Amino acid sequence: MNKKGLTILEVLISISIVSIVILLLIKVMFSLDNINNDKSYASSDEIKRTEIIKNIESDFLELKLNGININEGEYTTITFKYLNEDKALKVYDDKIIYDNITHTLNSENAAYSKCIEYNYIDLENNYYLITLNIPVLIGNENTTTNDDLTLTYLGLKNENTNYLTSFSCSKK
């Protein structure tokens, strides 16, 4: 055996391995580019949606949520009844207003659905769960629930006085 250089087989194997690694890197780069250009997900509004959810759910706990009322019209109004005050969440196509703060959507082709989803669920041990979901539409379609603005509240039934037990959107 020649100990001074590389054999043709060693050169071919190293070229093959380098080629495979380069192809994998190119595939990863194209995948990352596709994720950044994905128009089916309102990714540029992700932090804003999280802040809205945090603000509303902290009000649920701090101000003691005591009831919910939903009205449809030019925009959907969800009135949260607290022990000492009421606060309205107004859902428009391109924005949400809560506590007099406007949060607009910046993602391309994104819009809020004014047809919200509301559920009241009786649980064991004298508890109930409320979920309120505001879908985010991309091109008039709810392509993924990752975008949706979902609020939850867990409460005791003996405190429950003003909750809807069901709600159906008339715009479906």
Side-chain angles (χ1 to χ4, degrees), residues 8-33:
I8 292 179
L9 185 59
E10 291 172 327
V11 171
L12 287 175
I13 290 173
S14 39
I15 289 174
S16 299
I17 292 173
V18 169
S19 299
I20 291 170
V21 169
I22 289 174
L23 287 174
L24 289 173
L25 287 173
I26 290 172
K27 184 177 179 182
V28 167
M29 288 174 43
F30 278 117
S31 295
L32 290 174
D33 189 48

Side-chain angles (χ1 to χ4, degrees), residues 119-165:
N119 289 306
Y120 176 95
I121 303 166
D122 279 321
L123 302 173
E124 295 178 11
N125 299 326
N126 206 28
Y127 287 100
Y128 62 91
L129 176 68
I130 292 173
T131 59
L132 189 67
N133 187 52
I134 303 167
V136 174
L137 310 175
I138 305 295
N140 294 325
E141 216 177 299
N142 192 2
T143 57
T144 177
T145 57
N146 293 339
D147 293 342
D148 296 353
L149 209 146
T150 303
L151 304 166
T152 56
Y153 180 72
L154 179 67
L156 285 168
K157 289 180 187 173
N158 61 358
E159 298 171 350
N160 178 5
T161 56
N162 297 307
Y163 294 106
L164 303 168
T165 53

